[in-house]
Amino acid sequence: MPESAIAQRHFPYTARVGDASITLRLMTPGDREAFLAFMRAQPEDDLFFLLVDVTTPEGLDHWMGDLQNGRNITVLAEEGGKLLGYSSLHHGQARWTRHLGEIRLLMAPGQRGRGVGRLLGHEVFSIAHDMGLQRIVVRVASAQSSARHLFERLGFHMEALLADWVIDRQGHTEDLVLMSYDVAGFHG
Ligand SMILES: CC(C)(COP(=O)(O)OP(=O)(O)OC[C@H]1O[C@@H](n2cnc3c(N)ncnc32)[C@H](O)[C@@H]1OP(=O)(O)O)[C@@H](O)C(=O)NCCC(=O)NCCS
């Protein structure tokens, strides 16, 4: 199911965002070094919230392994060959939560506010939907207002507010917002 669903989306394709042409394509093992360079160039505060620290060889191996076994589907956004950001869908980690998919999204700070993040979010959300995942979730620190807004516009709603579930590099805690989109229409 996953591969055929992804194939239906005709990657790569180019979309107009404002005056720019943005290419969206699926990440492959051949993107390893470019992805590493991109991630290492991101602010530490953004890297701190990754599920896997892909700036280390072990973390990157883990990421590429999941990419190859289909547990991670990542869409890259590029402009003129330059990587601007990515969105990833992680799923099937345990049998009892195999109906869930989790989205992660990161744009380089200098590229934010152009509409590319929304495009990426929408693309990965559509893949999750086409794959038949029943509930799509995203975890967002409460201060990440732009991310919350973006996912609300995609139709996600707040499922839980978990007090002090996030801790930043300086040791300050923050609330975690768990947002979800109920594809199957069930509630519990
Ligand atoms: C979340 C993120 C990917 C958004 O990327 P982006 O390219 O700036 O997104 P867009 O330009 O498409 O903007 C998305 C929406 O957020 C809105 N927005 C931007 N900054 C905002 C802010 N500070 N408060 C509220 N809304 C904001 C935009 O107006 C836009 O809304 P609209 O479509 O209604 O106009 C980017 O901010 C990011 O990488 N943040 C750090 C990582 C993160 O928080 N990831 C999410 C958790 S996985």
Side-chain angles (χ1 to χ4, degrees), residues 97-113:
T97 53
R98 66 187 185 281
H99 61 310
L100 300 182
E102 176 166 0
I103 292 181
R104 306 296 300 167
L105 184 55
L106 181 69
M107 283 295 299
Q111 303 295 337
R112 293 178 190 169

Side-chain angles (χ1 to χ4, degrees), residues 65-80:
D66 275 358
L67 211 60
Q68 281 171 305
N69 67 28
R71 299 212 182 285
N72 171 346
I73 295 153
T74 297
V75 178
L76 305 178
E78 294 174 329
E79 184 178 20

Side-chain angles (χ1 to χ4, degrees), residues 5 12 17 21 35 37 40 63 66 78 85 115 117 133 147 150 155-156 161 185:
V17 178
S21 294
F35 189 62
R40 286 190 170 161
W63 186 277
D66 275 358
E78 294 174 329
L133 291 172
L150 188 156
F156 285 63
L161 177 68

Side-chain angles (χ1 to χ4, degrees), residues 62-162:
H62 182 95
W63 186 277
M64 299 318 269
D66 275 358
L67 211 60
Q68 281 171 305
N69 67 28
R71 299 212 182 285
N72 171 346
I73 295 153
T74 297
V75 178
L76 305 178
E78 294 174 329
E79 184 178 20
K82 179 183 169 192
L83 184 53
L84 309 181
Y86 75 89
S87 184
S88 53
L89 173 68
H90 306 263
H91 70 104
Q93 308 296 334
R95 282 182 297 179
W96 54 301
T97 53
R98 66 187 185 281
H99 61 310
L100 300 182
E102 176 166 0
I103 292 181
R104 306 296 300 167
L105 184 55
L106 181 69
M107 283 295 299
Q111 303 295 337
R112 293 178 190 169
R114 301 176 62 194
V116 181
R118 185 148 67 93
L119 183 66
L120 272 173
H122 180 266
E123 201 54 48
V124 166
F125 169 74
S126 301
I127 291 172
H129 194 281
D130 292 351
M131 284 170 61
L133 291 172
Q134 293 175 15
R135 192 173 284 256
I136 308 167
V137 303
V138 61
R139 285 181 281 173
V140 181
S142 58
Q144 291 173 316
S145 48
S146 138
R148 289 175 60 182
H149 177 81
L150 188 156
F151 284 102
E152 272 164 13
R153 281 207 57 191
L154 282 176
F156 285 63
H157 67 270
M158 190 198 293
E159 183 111 19
L161 177 68
L162 302 164

